[in-house]
Amino acid sequence: MLNSRSFPKLPLQWVLVISFLVQIFGIVGLVGYLSFRSGREAVEDLAEDVIDSNNGTIAEHLNSYLSIPQDLGQINADAIELGILDVGDREAVRKYFWDQMQLYNLTYLGIGLTDGSGIGIARYDGKTVTLDDWNGESENNITTYAMDEQGNPTDVVEVWTWINAEETWYTNPVSAGRPIWSIVTTNIATGPFAVASASRPIYDPQGELLGMLAVDVHLLKLGEFLENLDVSQAGSTFIIERDGTLVGNSGEASPFILKNDVIKRLKASKLDDPLVQAISQKVQEQFGGFAQIAEERDFTITLDGERYFVHIQPWQNDLGLQWLMGTAVAENQFLSEIKANARHTVLLCAIALMIAIAIGILTSRWIAKPILKINQASTAMAKGNLQQTVAPSSIRELDSLTASFNQMASHLQESFVALAESRDNLEVRVVERTAELEATLQELHATQAQIIQSEKMSSLGQLVAGVAHEINNPVNFIHGNLDYTKTYIEDLLGLMRLYEQCYPQPDSQILEKLEDIDWEFVQIDLPKMLSSMQTGTDRIRQIVLSLRNFSRTDEADIKTVDLHEGIDSTLMILQHRLKAKSDRPEIVVDKDYGNIPTVECYPGPLNQVFMNILSNAIDALEDIAPQLGKISIRTRLVRDNWVEIAIADNGPGIPKSIQKRIFEPFFTTKKIGKGTGMGMSISHQIITERHQGHLRCSSHPSGGTEFIIEIPVIGLASAVRHNHHPKTSPSTHIRA
């Protein structure tokens, strides 16, 4: 039997304290041991969750970072195609690009045109903005300027050579005919770098290719983003292409090298990073290379005795980028946290022991403190600060209340954000609708002017045809009777000569009469007079025929005609303008007619095109008086049954800055009242839409201007009957 005297007597307070301490140490120790054991088993699950979260963050950043060039390129291409941004106005393009460079975090923004020229704004080092301006010359055609704070070019930085047609930056999107992504490397004074370039072809409002538009962002910024991720501090993150070429990584190793002044991008297997090299080797051995990874892959590798968890995940966008995101995290990172948790548990035990002594005093404060925080957060929300969260409580009821409050605050903040986004979207739709209405109004103005011009030409054609008809009748009557008159007069003259032979001695009255009328002169001059009258009536009939050929009021449908007749008829009508004047000599017309067949066409509208081009040529030649003006007309058969009509003058030429606008409605360089700006626009419409042909202009300031018309010889009638669009149908088209 145990003797109770063998144990020391302890106060009840100490017994309770010792019992309480034993329970605390026992429970905490058991929990810590089980937590450490279960935590070690859950390391892989935790690593997978961390890596998945990290890759999700990278994917969101890629979508956000690369959507800016894509969306901005679409906005700029639409502005050019709608005519809002004129690529021919280099000053406007420069200011437009400068404003966008200030708004967005871009590396380069520029366009390259089909004539070899272009303009771009760069910010290679992320701070300094420069301007690249180039033309279509073969050498030293690009000049780089420094820019001031207002976006104006200042000093010339360098002059170098850039050829659009030799650069994939230009040729790839033009050849593809659609937006594409590509990675471009280059070497400048600040050093080598690589950019992701969102490139796309651009078109004018008529759908003609103008060139290429590119928006670039710096890839090194992706490396900076990866380096700043939490998981990158104890592991590695990287982005690669399908062929294993590195796009960006979180390490200090550069994804490219400079060798013999040539930038060479590195494969993952060649990167100066042992961990990335080991991952690349493992992928090659286990999956056959990065190109074979079509879905998420997880595996582990061991490097220098340390185990790493690796996750590879594909990423792609709508414009062809297909990359892989890789994350590697050391196992020790999670084990160290578990060990740290164990140390924290021991520390908490000591703290809990001290807290247990004063638990009664602090209970009320412990309960009131979470409630006070909820009250403070509610007051801040009532004042408009919605970004409020309350830390969770260790008391179940208060923790439930805190979670409900945080959920309510989150939902309320999301509602306000959604409301703000809806407002922004509404403003964008209003702007887009306004732009559409402005474009429609401009189109209505152009259509109205075309209708007025067409009605004028129609009325003129009817008037010309009526005048020609009215003149033709009496002229034919005179012309037809001249032959009989000539015969009668010759008979009378013969009779008079016979009288002279039979009666060589007329009486005095007849002699006086013969002397009064100057009979000898009458015999000589009368046949000449009849011949002159014959020539005059022939000339009038030729003019009438030219008027009828030009107006073609009886040929509104497609006819097979001789183009030379239409050109000659137009020249006949313009003959009075070709003649010499007091301030200039006669304008010479040099006709080089080739052996061309008859053509299926609309004769009247086609004659109108000849009239517009020839009238403009005469206007230009009047500006060079008193120099000799010359108009050359050449016709020939080209390109498998296509006819080419070239009309050239030796006038002052058209400035290069306005050559691209000569076919725009309402555009004219003539004085007010002399031109409407619709002649060449309607001519372009007649050739391209009604005849499925081509009309182009070639002009040099020192070499005159040449308009070249190309139309098919046959097939227009069948094309109109079977394949025409409502806009180009003769029955619905505005008469030119």
Side-chain angles (χ1 to χ4, degrees), residues 545-557:
L545 180 60
S546 296
L547 291 173
R548 293 188 60 187
N549 287 338
F550 176 78
S551 64
R552 296 282 187 174
T553 56
D554 57 339
E555 298 182 11
D557 294 331

Side-chain angles (χ1 to χ4, degrees), residues 298-563:
D298 294 290
F299 55 92
T300 61
I301 62 171
T302 302
L303 180 64
D304 297 333
E306 187 171 0
R307 189 165 175 249
Y308 290 86
F309 300 102
V310 182
H311 180 83
I312 306 294
Q313 178 178 337
W315 178 89
Q316 63 183 11
N317 68 1
D318 296 334
L319 294 185
L321 283 183
Q322 295 187 358
W323 293 347
L324 295 172
M325 302 179 297
T327 302
V329 182
E331 184 182 34
N332 285 339
Q333 179 182 3
F334 303 99
L335 291 177
S336 61
E337 292 181 0
I338 293 175
K339 293 177 182 178
N341 288 336
R343 291 192 297 269
H344 293 161
T345 302
V346 175
L347 180 61
L348 288 174
C349 289
I351 296 174
L353 182 61
M354 291 183 291
I355 293 176
I357 299 173
I359 192 69
I361 300 174
L362 299 177
T363 300
S364 59
R365 297 181 181 178
W366 182 40
I367 297 175
K369 188 175 181 180
I371 298 176
L372 180 60
K373 289 183 178 180
I374 294 175
N375 182 57
Q376 292 174 348
S378 299
T379 303
M381 290 181 64
K383 293 180 180 180
N385 186 2
L386 301 179
Q387 296 182 351
Q388 299 294 323
T389 56
V390 179
S393 174
S394 58
I395 301 176
R396 181 184 303 171
E397 289 77 6
L398 292 179
D399 184 64
S400 177
L401 178 61
T402 299
S404 299
F405 177 85
N406 289 338
Q407 185 177 12
M408 178 194 68
S410 176
H411 290 170
L412 186 59
Q413 185 176 0
E414 291 175 357
S415 298
F416 273 87
V417 171
L419 182 60
E421 291 178 352
S422 299
R423 181 195 61 193
D424 295 339
N425 292 335
L426 180 59
E427 292 177 354
V428 171
R429 289 197 296 270
V430 169
V431 172
E432 292 176 350
R433 185 58 178 167
T434 302
E436 292 176 359
L437 291 176
E438 291 177 352
T440 303
L441 181 60
Q442 185 176 4
E443 184 177 355
L444 287 176
H445 284 318
T447 303
Q448 182 183 18
Q450 288 181 346
I451 292 175
I452 294 173
Q453 183 73 7
S454 299
E455 290 303 322
K456 288 181 179 179
M457 293 305 300
S458 176
S459 300
L460 177 61
Q462 294 177 4
L463 176 61
V464 169
V467 171
H469 177 73
E470 293 300 326
I471 294 175
N472 192 48
N473 288 336
V475 167
N476 284 339
F477 174 77
I478 297 172
H479 184 77
N481 288 328
L482 280 176
D483 290 336
Y484 297 107
T485 304
K486 183 177 180 181
T487 301
Y488 297 157
I489 290 176
E490 288 177 352
D491 292 341
L492 290 174
L493 290 175
L495 179 60
M496 291 300 295
R497 294 189 188 98
L498 183 59
Y499 267 100
E500 288 178 349
Q501 294 175 5
C502 295
Y503 302 98
Q505 298 298 327
D507 58 19
S508 60
Q509 289 183 345
I510 294 176
L511 288 174
E512 291 178 1
K513 188 64 176 178
L514 290 175
E515 186 176 353
D516 290 341
I517 65 175
D518 196 356
W519 170 243
E520 292 182 358
F521 177 76
V522 170
Q523 294 182 80
I524 297 173
D525 190 57
L526 187 57
K528 294 180 180 179
M529 184 183 301
L530 289 173
S531 178
S532 177
M533 294 171 65
Q534 183 77 32
T535 301
T537 56
D538 288 339
R539 176 67 173 169
I540 294 173
R541 293 181 68 193
Q542 185 179 2
I543 293 174
V544 170
L545 180 60
S546 296
L547 291 173
R548 293 188 60 187
N549 287 338
F550 176 78
S551 64
R552 296 282 187 174
T553 56
D554 57 339
E555 298 182 11
D557 294 331
I558 295 174
K559 299 291 184 181
T560 301
V561 298
D562 184 355
L563 295 182

Side-chain angles (χ1 to χ4, degrees), residues 239-255:
I239 302 173
I240 60 175
E241 296 188 62
R242 285 286 183 176
D243 61 355
T245 303
L246 202 66
V247 176
N249 65 301
S250 60
E252 296 180 356
S254 176

Side-chain angles (χ1 to χ4, degrees), residues 65-224:
Y65 189 62
L66 297 180
S67 66
I68 294 176
Q70 182 175 334
D71 296 341
L72 191 59
Q74 181 65 55
I75 291 172
N76 291 342
D78 291 343
I80 294 172
E81 187 170 359
L82 293 173
I84 299 174
L85 179 62
D86 183 7
V87 297
D89 189 349
R90 304 180 76 84
E91 180 72 12
V93 173
R94 175 181 63 77
K95 292 181 179 179
Y96 188 82
F97 284 173
W98 165 264
D99 292 338
Q100 291 185 339
M101 187 66 74
Q102 306 310 304
L103 293 176
Y104 301 100
N105 186 18
L106 305 175
T107 300
Y108 194 85
L109 178 60
I111 57 174
L113 302 178
T114 55
D115 61 0
S117 65
I119 187 171
I121 293 183
R123 183 165 50 199
Y124 297 119
D125 60 356
K127 299 177 182 179
T128 306
V129 181
T130 58
L131 171 67
D132 293 336
D133 192 345
W134 67 94
N135 54 41
E137 302 295 335
S138 59
E139 292 184 358
N140 295 328
N141 63 327
I142 182 169
T143 303
T144 299
Y145 299 91
M147 303 188 76
D148 59 21
E149 295 180 356
Q150 287 73 39
N152 299 313
T154 56
D155 300 329
V156 175
V157 178
E158 62 176 330
V159 177
W160 45 295
T161 300
W162 176 274
I163 305 300
N164 288 346
E166 297 177 0
E167 299 292 336
T168 56
W169 179 81
Y170 174 88
T171 57
N172 285 352
V174 172
S175 300
R178 61 178 178 81
I180 62 173
W181 273 98
S182 59
I183 293 181
V184 180
T185 58
T186 188
N187 185 24
I188 60 173
T190 58
F193 70 97
V195 296
S197 178
S199 308
R200 62 179 60 237
I202 54 176
Y203 303 90
D204 63 11
Q206 287 75 37
E208 294 292 333
L209 177 67
L210 293 176
M212 185 280 305
L213 170 71
V215 184
D216 301 347
V217 290
H218 216 308
L219 285 182
L220 289 182
K221 293 186 180 296
L222 289 179
E224 295 175 0

